[in-house]
């Protein structure tokens, strides 16, 4: 297998609109992936492209879907109520059904299989019984909708999904920026669209909800560091693009989709410009080394 460029899309709830803008910038620059790997909302965005095609028309359609998500009532902003409802075993069914209906409306039909897709896709979920990742898409007969629903099952809004003896939940619990799964599936270079935003919880915030959020952020950061080390050890270069709003965006706040799409586009354009400058800076050094080697060989031959 030759070069395999993977787009790796992290989880991050409503911040996923940033990825729609980033994808537009990449495709405008004719940067096209051989593999899409996504967790949670990154799985949703990746699946959308794999269904509709990895092209600018599909990205614009994805951006429109994000702009319309505010009316879908996908995640209640009342985090405390969602948590209490989960505690009393009353949460999740309504949110699960709304998410399922939303996905079906946008092309993830119940009978769609990975083998039907126009692009190679890997969706990451977490399996609680074994404490391990589950990679959907390695079997072309697996159902795409089942995979995305499992990867996006984010407590307290959606409880873990029991299926075929497995207890499945949001892939961000085990690999929020799934670099290692991309490497395992043959990626030789990676562009990672990271939605992690530690600014969401101020450093001075106290209480058990800020504590849980900080704990989650710490785990996600450590996961990312380890997966970057795995890629480096295997010689797979990773270009990570940190996608953040001008101000912190909550995972349930779909009101800012239009702003975040534009912001993701701008950040990614700046990153690609920086890559170009870096290449131009490195080229003279390579050229000087090649000339020096050539001069040494010429002197030896005399």
């Amino acid at each position: 297998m030759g070069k395999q460029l993977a787009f790796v899309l992290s989880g991050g709830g409503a911040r996923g609109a940033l990825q729609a803008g980033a994808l537009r910038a990449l495709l405008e620059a004719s940067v096209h992936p051989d593999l899409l790997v996504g967790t949670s909302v990154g799985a949703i965005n990746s699946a959308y492209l794999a269904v509709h095609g990895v092209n600018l028309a599909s990205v614009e359609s994805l951006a429109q879907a994000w702009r319309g998500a505010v009316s879908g009532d996908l995640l209640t902003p009342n985090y405390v109520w969602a948590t209490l409802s989960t505690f009393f075993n009353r949460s999740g069914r309504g949110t699960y059904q709304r998410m399922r209906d939303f996905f079906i409306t946008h092309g993830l039909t119940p009978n769609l299989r990975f083998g039907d897709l126009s692009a190679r896709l890997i969706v990451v979920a977490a399996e609680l019984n074994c404490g391990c990742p589950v990679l959907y898409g390695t079997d072309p007969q697996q159902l795409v909708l089942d995979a995305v629903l499992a990867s996006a099952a984010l407590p307290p809004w959606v409880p873990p999904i029991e299926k075929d003896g497995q207890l499945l939940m949001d892939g961000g619990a085990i690999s929020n920026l799934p670099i290692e799964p991309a490497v395992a599936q043959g990626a030789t270079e990676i562009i990672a669209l990271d939605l992690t935003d530690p600014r969401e919880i101020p450093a001075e915030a106290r209480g058990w909800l800020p504590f849980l959020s900080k704990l989650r952020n710490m785990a996600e950061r450590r996961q990312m560091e380890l997966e970057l080390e795995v890629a480096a050890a295997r010689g797979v270069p990773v270009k990570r693009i940190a996608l953040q709003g001008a101000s912190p965006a909550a995972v349930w706040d779909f009101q800012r989709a239009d702003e975040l799409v534009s912001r993701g586009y701008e950040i990614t354009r700046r990153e690609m410009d920086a890559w170009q400058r870096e290449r131009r800076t490195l080229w003279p050094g390579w050229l000087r080394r090649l000339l020096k080697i050539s001069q040494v060989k010429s002197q030896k031959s005399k």
Side-chain angles (χ1 to χ4, degrees), residues 71-88:
S71 61
D73 192 26
L74 298 180
L75 298 178
T76 173
N78 194 333
Y79 190 98
V80 175
W81 173 248
T83 303
L84 291 174
S85 297
T86 298
F87 182 79
F88 290 108

Side-chain angles (χ1 to χ4, degrees), residues 24-65:
R24 177 187 164 203
L26 290 165
L27 295 183
E28 276 187 354
S30 297
V31 181
H32 292 270
D34 303 292
L35 171 65
L36 295 162
V37 183
T39 285
S40 193
V41 75
I44 298 169
N45 285 335
S46 298
Y48 190 97
L49 286 193
V51 169
H52 297 283
V54 185
N55 53 58
L56 284 171
S58 295
V59 168
E60 181 53 36
S61 177
L62 174 63
Q64 289 298 331

Side-chain angles (χ1 to χ4, degrees), residues 92-126:
R93 188 61 194 171
T95 302
Y96 173 88
Q97 192 61 49
R98 286 193 298 273
M99 289 177 61
R100 187 176 188 276
D101 292 343
F102 186 82
F103 297 158
I104 292 172
T105 299
H106 289 89
L108 303 186
T109 53
N111 295 323
L112 183 70
R113 300 182 186 277
F114 279 84
D116 301 325
L117 299 176
S118 64
R120 188 174 172 222
L121 171 68
I122 297 294
V123 169
V124 181

